[in-house]
mmCIF file of all heavy atoms in Angstrom:
data_model
loop_
_atom_site.group_PDB
_atom_site.id
_atom_site.type_symbol
_atom_site.label_atom_id
_atom_site.label_comp_id
_atom_site.label_asym_id
_atom_site.label_seq_id
_atom_site.Cartn_x
_atom_site.Cartn_y
_atom_site.Cartn_z
ATOM 1 N N ALA T 1 -87.646 27.775 21.893
ATOM 2 C CA ALA T 1 -88.737 28.671 21.531
ATOM 3 C C ALA T 1 -88.947 29.725 22.612
ATOM 4 O O ALA T 1 -88.760 29.453 23.796
ATOM 5 C CB ALA T 1 -90.020 27.868 21.340
ATOM 6 N N SER T 2 -89.315 30.914 22.173
ATOM 7 C CA SER T 2 -89.526 32.016 23.120
ATOM 8 C C SER T 2 -90.857 31.880 23.862
ATOM 9 O O SER T 2 -91.081 32.588 24.843
ATOM 10 C CB SER T 2 -89.489 33.360 22.391
ATOM 11 O OG SER T 2 -90.507 33.398 21.395
ATOM 12 N N GLY T 3 -91.707 30.985 23.371
ATOM 13 C CA GLY T 3 -92.980 30.741 24.019
ATOM 14 C C GLY T 3 -93.293 29.255 24.017
ATOM 15 O O GLY T 3 -92.462 28.438 23.631
ATOM 16 N N SER T 4 -94.494 28.939 24.434
ATOM 17 C CA SER T 4 -94.879 27.532 24.505
ATOM 18 C C SER T 4 -94.974 26.891 23.128
ATOM 19 O O SER T 4 -95.473 27.499 22.191
ATOM 20 C CB SER T 4 -96.234 27.406 25.209
ATOM 21 O OG SER T 4 -96.673 26.057 25.189
ATOM 22 N N ILE T 5 -94.469 25.667 23.045
ATOM 23 C CA ILE T 5 -94.575 24.911 21.796
ATOM 24 C C ILE T 5 -95.651 23.842 21.880
ATOM 25 O O ILE T 5 -95.818 23.037 20.974
ATOM 26 C CB ILE T 5 -93.232 24.261 21.382
ATOM 27 C CG1 ILE T 5 -92.767 23.257 22.436
ATOM 28 C CG2 ILE T 5 -92.181 25.323 21.121
ATOM 29 C CD1 ILE T 5 -91.569 22.426 21.984
ATOM 30 N N ARG T 6 -96.404 23.840 22.993
ATOM 31 C CA ARG T 6 -97.421 22.796 23.160
ATOM 32 C C ARG T 6 -98.450 22.823 22.038
ATOM 33 O O ARG T 6 -98.945 21.784 21.621
ATOM 34 C CB ARG T 6 -98.116 22.951 24.510
ATOM 35 C CG ARG T 6 -97.212 22.645 25.692
ATOM 36 C CD ARG T 6 -97.951 22.731 27.012
ATOM 37 N NE ARG T 6 -97.052 22.561 28.133
ATOM 38 C CZ ARG T 6 -96.664 21.389 28.602
ATOM 39 N NH1 ARG T 6 -97.114 20.272 28.046
ATOM 40 N NH2 ARG T 6 -95.842 21.314 29.621
ATOM 41 N N SER T 7 -98.761 24.027 21.563
ATOM 42 C CA SER T 7 -99.766 24.140 20.502
ATOM 43 C C SER T 7 -99.182 23.883 19.119
ATOM 44 O O SER T 7 -99.930 23.799 18.137
ATOM 45 C CB SER T 7 -100.409 25.526 20.524
ATOM 46 O OG SER T 7 -99.442 26.514 20.257
ATOM 47 N N LEU T 8 -97.866 23.770 19.054
ATOM 48 C CA LEU T 8 -97.214 23.486 17.770
ATOM 49 C C LEU T 8 -97.092 21.977 17.647
ATOM 50 O O LEU T 8 -96.105 21.372 18.065
ATOM 51 C CB LEU T 8 -95.851 24.172 17.706
ATOM 52 C CG LEU T 8 -95.852 25.685 17.945
ATOM 53 C CD1 LEU T 8 -94.442 26.249 17.876
ATOM 54 C CD2 LEU T 8 -96.760 26.388 16.947
ATOM 55 N N ASN T 9 -98.120 21.373 17.069
ATOM 56 C CA ASN T 9 -98.220 19.920 17.090
ATOM 57 C C ASN T 9 -97.041 19.216 16.441
ATOM 58 O O ASN T 9 -96.458 18.296 16.994
ATOM 59 C CB ASN T 9 -99.522 19.471 16.421
ATOM 60 C CG ASN T 9 -100.737 19.877 17.237
ATOM 61 O OD1 ASN T 9 -100.669 19.988 18.453
ATOM 62 N ND2 ASN T 9 -101.843 20.114 16.562
ATOM 63 N N VAL T 10 -96.707 19.647 15.242
ATOM 64 C CA VAL T 10 -95.631 18.987 14.504
ATOM 65 C C VAL T 10 -94.451 19.939 14.392
ATOM 66 O O VAL T 10 -94.576 21.026 13.828
ATOM 67 C CB VAL T 10 -96.081 18.552 13.094
ATOM 68 C CG1 VAL T 10 -94.979 17.742 12.418
ATOM 69 C CG2 VAL T 10 -97.372 17.744 13.176
ATOM 70 N N MET T 11 -93.341 19.536 14.957
ATOM 71 C CA MET T 11 -92.107 20.313 14.849
ATOM 72 C C MET T 11 -91.127 19.545 13.977
ATOM 73 O O MET T 11 -91.127 18.302 13.956
ATOM 74 C CB MET T 11 -91.494 20.548 16.217
ATOM 75 C CG MET T 11 -92.323 21.440 17.130
ATOM 76 S SD MET T 11 -92.477 23.128 16.492
ATOM 77 C CE MET T 11 -90.765 23.672 16.479
ATOM 78 N N GLY T 12 -90.303 20.280 13.282
ATOM 79 C CA GLY T 12 -89.359 19.617 12.390
ATOM 80 C C GLY T 12 -88.017 20.301 12.344
ATOM 81 O O GLY T 12 -87.889 21.475 12.701
ATOM 82 N N TRP T 13 -87.039 19.541 11.922
ATOM 83 C CA TRP T 13 -85.721 20.097 11.613
ATOM 84 C C TRP T 13 -85.551 20.065 10.101
ATOM 85 O O TRP T 13 -85.904 19.071 9.440
ATOM 86 C CB TRP T 13 -84.611 19.277 12.272
ATOM 87 C CG TRP T 13 -84.435 19.597 13.715
ATOM 88 C CD1 TRP T 13 -84.970 18.946 14.783
ATOM 89 C CD2 TRP T 13 -83.655 20.670 14.257
ATOM 90 N NE1 TRP T 13 -84.583 19.539 15.951
ATOM 91 C CE2 TRP T 13 -83.760 20.601 15.668
ATOM 92 C CE3 TRP T 13 -82.869 21.670 13.703
ATOM 93 C CZ2 TRP T 13 -83.125 21.500 16.511
ATOM 94 C CZ3 TRP T 13 -82.238 22.562 14.533
ATOM 95 C CH2 TRP T 13 -82.368 22.477 15.936
ATOM 96 N N TYR T 14 -85.007 21.147 9.581
ATOM 97 C CA TYR T 14 -84.758 21.299 8.161
ATOM 98 C C TYR T 14 -83.283 21.644 7.988
ATOM 99 O O TYR T 14 -82.627 22.099 8.928
ATOM 100 C CB TYR T 14 -85.601 22.432 7.589
ATOM 101 C CG TYR T 14 -87.103 22.245 7.745
ATOM 102 C CD1 TYR T 14 -87.724 22.465 8.971
ATOM 103 C CD2 TYR T 14 -87.903 21.861 6.666
ATOM 104 C CE1 TYR T 14 -89.093 22.295 9.124
ATOM 105 C CE2 TYR T 14 -89.266 21.699 6.806
ATOM 106 C CZ TYR T 14 -89.852 21.915 8.039
ATOM 107 O OH TYR T 14 -91.214 21.749 8.181
ATOM 108 N N ARG T 15 -82.782 21.467 6.778
ATOM 109 C CA ARG T 15 -81.409 21.885 6.511
ATOM 110 C C ARG T 15 -81.287 22.381 5.089
ATOM 111 O O ARG T 15 -82.065 21.995 4.210
ATOM 112 C CB ARG T 15 -80.430 20.742 6.760
ATOM 113 C CG ARG T 15 -80.529 19.569 5.790
ATOM 114 C CD ARG T 15 -79.575 18.450 6.216
ATOM 115 N NE ARG T 15 -79.621 17.315 5.285
ATOM 116 C CZ ARG T 15 -78.985 16.168 5.514
ATOM 117 N NH1 ARG T 15 -78.254 16.002 6.614
ATOM 118 N NH2 ARG T 15 -79.075 15.189 4.630
ATOM 119 N N GLN T 16 -80.299 23.244 4.902
ATOM 120 C CA GLN T 16 -80.016 23.769 3.575
ATOM 121 C C GLN T 16 -78.516 23.764 3.358
ATOM 122 O O GLN T 16 -77.778 24.454 4.076
ATOM 123 C CB GLN T 16 -80.571 25.176 3.398
ATOM 124 C CG GLN T 16 -80.450 25.691 1.981
ATOM 125 C CD GLN T 16 -81.282 26.928 1.736
ATOM 126 O OE1 GLN T 16 -81.682 27.629 2.663
ATOM 127 N NE2 GLN T 16 -81.582 27.203 0.476
ATOM 128 N N ALA T 17 -78.103 22.972 2.403
ATOM 129 C CA ALA T 17 -76.693 22.902 2.035
ATOM 130 C C ALA T 17 -76.409 23.950 0.965
ATOM 131 O O ALA T 17 -77.323 24.372 0.249
ATOM 132 C CB ALA T 17 -76.359 21.508 1.520
ATOM 133 N N PRO T 18 -75.153 24.367 0.834
ATOM 134 C CA PRO T 18 -74.808 25.373 -0.174
ATOM 135 C C PRO T 18 -75.250 24.953 -1.569
ATOM 136 O O PRO T 18 -74.988 23.829 -2.000
ATOM 137 C CB PRO T 18 -73.290 25.454 -0.077
ATOM 138 C CG PRO T 18 -72.975 25.008 1.309
ATOM 139 C CD PRO T 18 -73.995 23.955 1.635
ATOM 140 N N GLY T 19 -75.954 25.838 -2.239
ATOM 141 C CA GLY T 19 -76.388 25.575 -3.605
ATOM 142 C C GLY T 19 -77.555 24.631 -3.732
ATOM 143 O O GLY T 19 -77.932 24.249 -4.846
ATOM 144 N N LYS T 20 -78.142 24.238 -2.605
ATOM 145 C CA LYS T 20 -79.260 23.295 -2.640
ATOM 146 C C LYS T 20 -80.490 23.889 -1.976
ATOM 147 O O LYS T 20 -80.394 24.846 -1.211
ATOM 148 C CB LYS T 20 -78.873 21.989 -1.942
ATOM 149 C CG LYS T 20 -77.771 21.212 -2.639
ATOM 150 C CD LYS T 20 -77.581 19.863 -1.990
ATOM 151 C CE LYS T 20 -76.522 19.047 -2.714
ATOM 152 N NZ LYS T 20 -76.338 17.703 -2.091
ATOM 153 N N GLN T 21 -81.627 23.310 -2.284
ATOM 154 C CA GLN T 21 -82.870 23.750 -1.653
ATOM 155 C C GLN T 21 -82.955 23.234 -0.220
ATOM 156 O O GLN T 21 -82.349 22.220 0.131
ATOM 157 C CB GLN T 21 -84.068 23.242 -2.457
ATOM 158 C CG GLN T 21 -84.265 23.942 -3.791
ATOM 159 C CD GLN T 21 -85.594 23.584 -4.430
ATOM 160 O OE1 GLN T 21 -86.094 22.470 -4.262
ATOM 161 N NE2 GLN T 21 -86.169 24.520 -5.151
ATOM 162 N N ARG T 22 -83.713 23.970 0.583
ATOM 163 C CA ARG T 22 -83.940 23.536 1.948
ATOM 164 C C ARG T 22 -84.724 22.228 1.933
ATOM 165 O O ARG T 22 -85.670 22.082 1.157
ATOM 166 C CB ARG T 22 -84.699 24.604 2.706
ATOM 167 C CG ARG T 22 -84.688 24.448 4.214
ATOM 168 C CD ARG T 22 -85.269 25.691 4.890
ATOM 169 N NE ARG T 22 -84.442 26.866 4.647
ATOM 170 C CZ ARG T 22 -84.741 28.067 5.121
ATOM 171 N NH1 ARG T 22 -85.853 28.257 5.811
ATOM 172 N NH2 ARG T 22 -83.949 29.086 4.881
ATOM 173 N N GLU T 23 -84.342 21.285 2.780
ATOM 174 C CA GLU T 23 -85.020 20.004 2.826
ATOM 175 C C GLU T 23 -85.368 19.651 4.262
ATOM 176 O O GLU T 23 -84.698 20.077 5.204
ATOM 177 C CB GLU T 23 -84.130 18.894 2.242
ATOM 178 C CG GLU T 23 -82.844 18.662 2.996
ATOM 179 C CD GLU T 23 -82.050 17.477 2.467
ATOM 180 O OE1 GLU T 23 -82.557 16.713 1.641
ATOM 181 O OE2 GLU T 23 -80.888 17.321 2.918
ATOM 182 N N ILE T 24 -86.404 18.846 4.401
ATOM 183 C CA ILE T 24 -86.801 18.430 5.732
ATOM 184 C C ILE T 24 -85.951 17.233 6.144
ATOM 185 O O ILE T 24 -85.666 16.350 5.331
ATOM 186 C CB ILE T 24 -88.311 18.121 5.792
ATOM 187 C CG1 ILE T 24 -88.780 17.987 7.234
ATOM 188 C CG2 ILE T 24 -88.649 16.892 4.959
ATOM 189 C CD1 ILE T 24 -90.268 18.099 7.405
ATOM 190 N N VAL T 25 -85.562 17.230 7.419
ATOM 191 C CA VAL T 25 -84.694 16.184 7.939
ATOM 192 C C VAL T 25 -85.467 15.235 8.848
ATOM 193 O O VAL T 25 -85.345 14.016 8.740
ATOM 194 C CB VAL T 25 -83.516 16.809 8.708
ATOM 195 C CG1 VAL T 25 -82.691 15.741 9.394
ATOM 196 C CG2 VAL T 25 -82.656 17.645 7.769
ATOM 197 N N ALA T 26 -86.261 15.820 9.746
ATOM 198 C CA ALA T 26 -86.980 14.997 10.722
ATOM 199 C C ALA T 26 -88.162 15.778 11.259
ATOM 200 O O ALA T 26 -88.117 17.002 11.328
ATOM 201 C CB ALA T 26 -86.061 14.591 11.874
ATOM 202 N N THR T 27 -89.203 15.061 11.647
ATOM 203 C CA THR T 27 -90.365 15.676 12.280
ATOM 204 C C THR T 27 -90.765 14.869 13.500
ATOM 205 O O THR T 27 -90.474 13.662 13.601
ATOM 206 C CB THR T 27 -91.572 15.771 11.334
ATOM 207 O OG1 THR T 27 -91.955 14.455 10.924
ATOM 208 C CG2 THR T 27 -91.261 16.623 10.123
ATOM 209 N N ILE T 28 -91.449 15.559 14.420
ATOM 210 C CA ILE T 28 -91.965 14.891 15.599
ATOM 211 C C ILE T 28 -93.377 15.399 15.866
ATOM 212 O O ILE T 28 -93.629 16.604 15.851
ATOM 213 C CB ILE T 28 -91.045 15.096 16.823
ATOM 214 C CG1 ILE T 28 -91.556 14.307 18.023
ATOM 215 C CG2 ILE T 28 -90.864 16.577 17.147
ATOM 216 C CD1 ILE T 28 -90.531 14.188 19.150
ATOM 217 N N ASN T 29 -94.286 14.460 16.092
ATOM 218 C CA ASN T 29 -95.676 14.779 16.367
ATOM 219 C C ASN T 29 -96.101 13.894 17.531
ATOM 220 O O ASN T 29 -96.379 12.705 17.347
ATOM 221 C CB ASN T 29 -96.529 14.516 15.126
ATOM 222 C CG ASN T 29 -97.991 14.844 15.355
ATOM 223 O OD1 ASN T 29 -98.376 15.394 16.389
ATOM 224 N ND2 ASN T 29 -98.831 14.527 14.386
#
């Protein structure tokens, strides 16, 4: 991140496969 992420309580990783909708993979809080 270009700035602080301390205020971003919940961060997540998402992915999008070809021809599919973006889906959530993992979150951290």
Side-chain angles (χ1 to χ4, degrees):
S2 60
S4 175
I5 62 171
R6 292 183 185 277
S7 63
L8 305 179
N9 292 331
V10 186
M11 294 296 298
W13 280 96
Y14 300 77
R15 68 184 181 187
Q16 187 166 19
K20 295 187 178 181
Q21 288 190 328
R22 195 170 295 180
E23 62 175 350
I24 193 163
V25 173
T27 61
I28 184 166
N29 180 7

